[in-house]
Amino acid sequence: METDVVIIGAGSAGLSAAKELAKHDVSFAVLEASHRIGGRAYSESIGPDAWFDLGCAYLVIGPDVDTHIDETNPFVDFAKGRGEVMEKYTHPARYHHNRHTLNGSELAAVEQYHQDCDDIIRQSVERGEDVPISDLIDLDNRFFAPYNDMMAVTHPKDVDEGSALDFHNRVEEHINYNLQRGYGNLVGAWGRDVDVSLNTKVERIEWSAHGVSVITPKGTVKAKRLISTVSNGVLASGHIEFSPRLPDWKLDAIHGIPMGAENKIGVHFTSDVFAPEDTGYFQAWSDDEPGAYIDVNLVSTNVVTVFIGGRFSQWMEKQGQPAAREFALDRIAAIFGNDIRKSAGRSIGTAWYTDPWTLGSYSSAAPGQYHQREWMPKPIDDTLFFAGESTARMHGMCHGAYWSGKRAAHEVIAAEQ
């Protein structure tokens, strides 16, 4: 098979690249190793009329939508056009330590610690540093545990493995929406009109300034150019062989922005056990057990999502689904009491760090490596182009990946001229 462009990966980056090329009459072939499209946007049924997003779940709109096109989220308007049920996320943080709800001065102390951490990270960045977050913050503070639990999900690494500069320069969330029927389902519906070759694992890419040959078990695809939306986890693993090998500067970028581990355990409750005031964001931890970041009953689905990250998340993947469910129920019961276990229905636990098509949840620069964000999206010899969340200003975001795909498509179009 021969075409103008080969696109590897059918997540939001690969799909948006394909749609953009189609607008400009550039032929393409999209190759996807998985059995489905969507990448890390993926919804599964967890109960009657209840969906669980295994990957991205928040439709995020950044604070600078008027000046940064990559902070607008096209999936918001797509959802509205389909009449999807959407809910704005407006819930305050609530904290439970040793099954005790923090109020008053304790709650103020948690919030002050978070502010102090943000301030000292900002001061480090202003000094021109790129150091581990753990070098800066007070690790002995009594509220370090929930802070690390939160960072391991939102960064997503333990604080000794994460770049303070990378964390500081993330695009801060501004407005979030949740979908009743799932973000993954929405992306799947949006990408349904793109012709994708599923179950097509790329094994080898032979490339030169004259074109590419992409070798798969189903045959070889030849093209003038290639857009890779493959995760940094897969690129770093060497599971796709490049011949010749990628240049050192690109390999440095890939290894400098490794994948982190964030996983979720979703539990569906078979009866309406949550009062309206129970909906929203919680953190629960104890002195002798790991804690978690928890979303309760968003969009009135009777689903609770328990988030874990960093090394603990990697460890939990290896323990399997029963252990993940028990951990989630323990954390939920720490907030709502043990009787809630009686209504627990189906559960789903994710395992992104060992998923062979991602080998991680999303990218996060290592300390001292934030500068690789500049190099990650750069093309090679007008032949190999790169998209995906690791190349996006809005890294870690589904719509950041979307904009990166459009950007890569326009780079290919410019190279054609």
Side-chain angles (χ1 to χ4, degrees), residues 321-382:
Q321 294 280 334
R325 175 185 173 88
E326 189 58 29
F327 170 79
L329 288 174
D330 284 348
R331 299 281 66 76
I332 296 166
I335 300 170
F336 297 105
N338 282 321
D339 282 349
I340 201 167
R341 296 175 186 268
K342 300 173 184 177
S343 299
R346 187 179 178 222
S347 63
I348 299 173
T350 66
W352 290 111
Y353 206 73
T354 52
D355 183 296
W357 313 136
T358 61
L359 296 177
S361 302
Y362 55 95
S363 65
S364 173
Q369 296 296 308
Y370 174 72
H371 64 283
Q372 302 293 2
R373 290 282 183 196
E374 177 184 353
W375 292 98
M376 192 59 230
K378 291 188 180 298
I380 302 171
D381 293 345
D382 276 345

Side-chain angles (χ1 to χ4, degrees), residues 59-65 68 70-72 114-115 118 121 150-151 154 166-176 293 393-395 397 399:
L59 282 81
V60 180
I61 302 175
D64 301 320
V65 293
H68 294 289
D70 57 347
E71 291 175 11
T72 61
H114 279 246
Q115 185 60 57
D118 284 348
I121 289 170
M150 178 272 296
M151 290 292 285
T154 60
D166 196 43
F167 173 72
H168 178 79
N169 283 326
R170 75 199 189 286
V171 177
E172 186 64 61
E173 298 174 3
H174 185 55
I175 300 172
N176 289 340
Y293 164 146
R393 183 175 129 83
M394 295 286 292
H395 49 268
M397 301 291 183
H399 67 292

Side-chain angles (χ1 to χ4, degrees), residues 3-45:
T3 188
D4 290 331
V5 183
V6 176
I7 301 170
I8 305 178
S12 63
L15 294 170
S16 69
K19 286 173 178 275
E20 199 65 21
L21 293 177
K23 291 178 185 177
H24 292 81
D25 296 322
V26 177
S27 64
F28 59 85
V30 183
L31 311 182
E32 169 56 54
S34 177
H35 66 286
R36 59 173 180 83
I37 66 171
R40 281 164 272 168
Y42 179 39
S43 307
E44 280 192 8
S45 173

Side-chain angles (χ1 to χ4, degrees), residues 216-229:
T216 81
K218 294 183 177 181
T220 297
V221 182
K222 295 181 179 293
K224 290 184 283 185
R225 294 178 174 83
L226 177 144
I227 297 175
S228 169
T229 71

Side-chain angles (χ1 to χ4, degrees), residues 45-272:
S45 173
I46 196 171
D49 298 319
W51 292 88
F52 176 65
D53 276 312
L54 284 78
C56 53
Y58 305 104
L59 282 81
V60 180
I61 302 175
D64 301 320
V65 293
D66 293 332
T67 55
H68 294 289
I69 193 170
D70 57 347
E71 291 175 11
T72 61
N73 190 328
F75 297 112
V76 173
D77 286 340
F78 183 71
K80 290 178 179 177
R82 288 170 52 86
E84 299 281 354
V85 176
M86 299 172 61
E87 177 182 85
K88 190 175 180 180
Y89 196 103
T90 58
H91 311 292
R94 285 162 283 185
Y95 299 89
H96 288 253
H97 178 224
N98 292 334
R99 295 179 177 260
H100 163 69
T101 304
L102 273 59
N103 290 301
S105 60
E106 289 180 312
L107 181 59
V110 174
E111 293 173 346
Q112 185 61 56
Y113 178 63
H114 279 246
Q115 185 60 57
D116 290 346
C117 290
D118 284 348
D119 288 345
I120 199 166
I121 289 170
R122 175 182 50 78
Q123 291 163 13
S124 170
V125 170
E126 290 173 350
R127 292 193 296 269
E129 299 171 343
D130 183 6
V131 298
I133 296 167
S134 58
D135 285 5
L136 303 172
I137 65 175
D138 179 5
L139 304 180
D140 295 323
N141 188 286
R142 61 181 175 141
F143 298 122
F144 167 70
Y147 180 82
N148 189 52
D149 291 339
M150 178 272 296
M151 290 292 285
V153 168
T154 60
H155 198 37
K157 292 176 182 172
D158 294 302
V159 293
D160 61 310
E161 294 186 316
S163 158
L165 183 57
D166 196 43
F167 173 72
H168 178 79
N169 283 326
R170 75 199 189 286
V171 177
E172 186 64 61
E173 298 174 3
H174 185 55
I175 300 172
N176 289 340
Y177 292 94
N178 295 99
L179 289 171
Q180 189 177 69
R181 293 190 55 79
Y183 201 164
N185 285 337
L186 184 76
V187 173
W190 168 78
R192 197 170 293 142
D193 60 340
V194 178
D195 185 20
V196 177
S197 177
L198 299 174
N199 299 304
T200 307
K201 179 182 182 294
V202 173
E203 297 176 336
R204 178 180 170 88
I205 298 169
E206 298 174 354
W207 64 279
S208 71
H210 303 293
V212 296
S213 293
V214 180
I215 293 90
T216 81
K218 294 183 177 181
T220 297
V221 182
K222 295 181 179 293
K224 290 184 283 185
R225 294 178 174 83
L226 177 144
I227 297 175
S228 169
T229 71
V230 177
S231 80
N232 277 14
V234 173
L235 289 175
S237 73
H239 289 177
I240 299 175
E241 180 186 358
F242 285 83
S243 179
R245 71 192 290 272
L246 295 175
D248 287 344
W249 63 266
K250 178 61 77 173
L251 292 171
D252 288 345
I254 292 166
H255 289 282
I257 312 174
M259 301 289 278
E262 179 214 329
N263 281 303
K264 302 189 280 189
I265 308 113
V267 182
H268 178 253
F269 288 84
T270 57
S271 58
D272 296 330

